[in-house]
Each structure stands twice: as C-alpha cells, then as structure tokens.
Amino acid sequence: MADVLKTVFLTPSEISGRVFEMAGEISRDYTGREILVIGVLKGAFVFMADLIRALSVPCRTDFIRAASYGAGAESSGKIVITKDVELPVEGQDVLIVEDIVDSGLTLRHIMDTLKSRNPRSIKVCAFLDKRKRRKISFEADYVGFSMDDGFIVGYGLDFNEQYRFLPAVYVLDPAPAREKEENG
Ligand code: 5GP
Ligand code: MG
C-alpha cells in the first residue's frame, strides 16, 4: 500500500454494515414509493452502487457533477454544475447521494438547483459528514459516518484521481494542502 495510507479509517465490513443500515432506514422512509437517486460524481459512485443494491424499494438513478472555483487554498464558494441530471426531476422523490459534506456549499447549490425543478420531495444522503468544517448551515438527512478533520481516500474518494478503487477508507497522511477545483 502507498506509504501515505498509514491509517485505515473504515474497513470494508464497517462500511457495508453501515450502508446496509442506512438502506434499511431509507427503505422504511420511502415505503410504497419509487426514489429518484441522484449521485454526485465522481466520489459517490461506489457508495451509491452499494446503497441502491441494499434498498428494498425501487429506484431510478441519475448523476450530477459540480465544480467549485476559487483562487488559492480555499474555494470561493462559486459552484457550477458541470454535468446535469438527465431525467426529469419534477414530481419525483429525489434522494441526492453525496460522498462527503464538508463546507456544505456544493450540496446547498445542488439542492437549490434541483428544488427549483419542483420535485415532490428532496433529501440528502451522505456517506460522511465533516460537520465542523461547515461554512453555511446544512444538514444531510442520512449520514453514514462522521469525522472532525483529516482527508480521506478510498471507497470512491480520491486524491488527484488516485485511490478511488480501494475497498477501505484511509486517512491520507500527510494531508494535502486544501486546494480544490473540481469536486468529487
Ligand atoms: P463542500 O461541502 O466543501 O462544498 O465540498 C465537499 C466535497 O469536497 C466532497 O464532495 C469531496 O469531493 C470533497 N472533499 C471534502 N473532504 C474530502 C476528503 O476528506 N476526501 C476527499 N477525497 N474529498 C473530500
Ligand atoms: Mg475529490
């Protein structure tokens, strides 16, 4: 394993146990309905694949992608949708599936964009919540795990497009300088 991956944060069995629990909770909440699951690319694709296969309600799936722009180490908060949803959102029970809620700016923008298309309902399911790093108030409806600080990779999460394939989640050590342009 790469020597920047010293610490396992979540093992594959911890992940699958929690994903199964979350899918159970979501299935109960949406009993009798069909969900339009919208994954936020790229980071959420592995989580979403596991989550939807553990649901006991039907769903359709689509994807969205956003980028945040800013000079220097902190994002300016300017979020742009770089790949939009293709299915109609109006009248649908939308569940946005995201990898990590950090500042909250990306999900706020995606939420507002999709809400303006009049879904029947809209909720957010996040694999991981970094609550202490919020720049705006934002609450996900379903949260898998939490952490205070640190940068994680694996299970779909990358650093410079590396490590997404890893089945466990690792803390990247040393942590990267926080300079991000493209999310996910
Ligand atoms: P924000 O909530 O700040 O708008 O953006 C959240 C996005 O930042 C996540 O979707 C993810 O792409 C990226 N991000 C935040 N923290 C981490 C982390 O620890 N690891 C990785 N790989 N991406 C992160
Ligand atoms: Mg990323």
Side-chain angles (χ1 to χ4, degrees), residues 43 99 151 157-161 164 180 182-184:
D99 54 0
F151 191 90
L157 300 164
D158 76 310
F159 174 61
N160 285 346
E161 294 300 329
R164 292 193 198 276
K180 62 175 192 188
E182 190 84 14
N183 284 353

